[in-house]
Amino acid sequence: MKSKVYFTKEITPESLIRIYEALGVELKGKVAVKISTGEPGGHNFLNPLLIKDLVHKLNGTIVECCTAYGGKRDKAKSHWKTIRDHGFADIAPCDIMDEEADMQIPINGGKHLDGYNVVGAHLQNYDSMLMLSHFKGHVMGGFGGALKNMSIGVASKKGKARLHSVGKTDNAKLCWLHTKDQDGFLECMAEACKSVIDYMGSENIVYINVANRLSIDCDCDSNPHEPEMADIGIFASLDPVAIDQCCYDQIINSSDEGKASLVERMESRHAIHTVEWAAELGIGSREYEIVELN
């Protein structure tokens, strides 16, 4: 059965609410809104004014974890400054989920991570989650969308190190010595996604990808390359595999000549393999139907 992926070309606060409502579900209890707060110096992260109304509608808390690479978000103190400087603390409560501790959650299946993922301990404080992702390129993963946001994004600093090193270390300073197994890294991201879905319950997570500011670089880059192709729109689904596959296909099949560098970035990193492995793990379908909102 094909998964539904809702789509609108309009990128506004109103259309963001409308596409969430089109999913026909209600996130219940305490809602985590997982975004990337963006590395200082960069400017492609989701605009707080774009997401504010939807976060308020959900009575949500914006959640993040610290980074494994050296920067302005690798420690809680400087990460909090970034959250404030980028305007997110002005629109909603915010939470760095691994500020105090991390915790292990099981991976049922997979082959790389010894049966567990390491995430921010505050994840246990939430009942449901909106995976609100900026779809764009990524220097290591090829692209970043729902699956990256749910894997690398929810992982604690130690968890990120394990994913990047394909389970070889949880030391953030050492993990960069173990980055040669590209497909293994992509598979680890998919396996981490499965752990989060199993922990939260698939019925308690929805996915929205905003495909704008389509740089070849992630929001974690402090000096990202300027986008070369035009904005596409907003996508929403209950299926993280389908939504990322759909966004990938939209770029690959675009008539926009500016897509060339982003396509090269995705193909050179074998980016689609994260989607392939996630489908193999049974967390979603690569077959989808686009439902365009009027």
Side-chain angles (χ1 to χ4, degrees):
M1 184 178 295
K2 293 182 178 180
S3 295
K4 284 188 169 66
V5 177
Y6 294 87
F7 171 70
T8 177
K9 294 178 182 177
E10 184 180 308
I11 304 176
T12 65
E14 294 78 17
S15 63
L16 200 55
I17 288 177
R18 197 156 60 95
I19 204 166
Y20 167 76
E21 291 176 341
L23 293 170
V25 299
E26 180 184 353
L27 292 176
K28 297 176 181 176
K30 189 171 183 181
V31 180
V33 179
K34 176 64 188 71
I35 65 165
S36 168
T37 49
E39 191 66 21
H43 46 268
N44 293 331
F45 54 85
L46 294 177
N47 190 318
L49 297 181
L50 173 66
I51 70 173
K52 175 182 176 181
D53 291 349
L54 178 56
V55 176
H56 284 186
K57 176 181 174 64
L58 300 175
N59 195 25
T61 299
I62 291 172
V63 302
E64 258 279 44
C65 285
C66 289
T67 62
Y69 62 85
K72 300 296 185 183
R73 298 185 299 150
D74 64 332
K75 297 179 178 62
K77 183 178 179 180
S78 54
H79 197 163
W80 274 117
K81 185 177 188 304
T82 299
I83 288 170
R84 292 190 294 269
D85 289 349
H86 287 180
F88 294 110
D90 293 333
I91 68 165
C94 298
D95 180 12
I96 298 174
M97 293 192 292
D98 63 339
E99 180 173 17
E100 297 168 349
D102 47 31
M103 68 178 187
Q104 296 182 8
I105 58 175
I107 298 173
N108 300 308
K111 63 181 183 181
H112 295 293
L113 297 171
D114 296 325
Y116 71 94
N117 183 24
V118 183
V119 301
H122 292 178
L123 183 65
Q124 64 191 317
N125 298 335
Y126 298 95
D127 303 298
S128 58
M129 179 174 283
L130 167 61
M131 205 61 59
L132 181 54
S133 310
H134 174 213
F135 194 91
K136 69 287 175 187
H138 188 271
V139 69
M140 296 186 72
F143 70 75
L147 294 171
K148 177 185 175 293
N149 197 12
M150 185 160 48
S151 57
I152 297 292
V154 174
S156 68
K157 189 185 187 83
K158 288 182 179 179
K160 288 176 172 66
R162 291 186 78 241
L163 297 179
H164 279 293
S165 67
V166 194
K168 292 181 175 65
T169 181
D170 65 3
N171 186 317
K173 293 181 180 179
L174 300 179
C175 71
W176 310 111
L177 302 174
H178 305 283
T179 58
K180 292 182 180 179
D181 184 359
Q182 176 67 5
D183 277 3
F185 164 56
L186 302 176
E187 290 166 5
C188 282
M189 285 202 292
E191 292 174 15
C193 287
K194 188 174 191 306
S195 74
V196 174
I197 292 170
D198 288 348
Y199 180 81
M200 297 292 293
S202 60
E203 71 280 8
N204 295 317
I205 312 177
V206 302
Y207 308 89
I208 296 178
N209 284 356
V210 181
N212 71 338
R213 299 290 302 170
L214 290 158
S215 171
I216 63 172
D217 294 318
C218 181
D219 299 342
C220 58
D221 194 317
S222 62
N223 186 30
H225 195 282
E226 279 297 302
E228 295 177 16
M229 69 179 296
D231 296 348
I232 299 174
I234 303 176
F235 300 81
S237 184
L238 304 180
D239 183 335
V241 175
I243 194 173
D244 275 5
Q245 179 74 61
C246 181
C247 290
Y248 176 88
D249 290 344
Q250 290 293 308
I251 292 169
I252 293 292
N253 298 323
S254 172
S255 60
D256 188 333
E257 293 182 359
K259 72 179 184 179
S261 61
L262 182 51
V263 170
E264 191 279 334
R265 172 59 57 89
M266 296 193 300
E267 291 184 342
S268 66
R269 271 60 170 186
H270 198 197
I272 197 60
H273 189 54
T274 306
V275 176
E276 293 171 342
W277 198 248
E280 284 288 324
L281 293 170
I283 67 175
S285 171
R286 299 180 68 191
E287 300 293 322
Y288 60 87
E289 169 193 357
I290 296 179
V291 180
E292 188 162 357
L293 302 186
N294 297 322

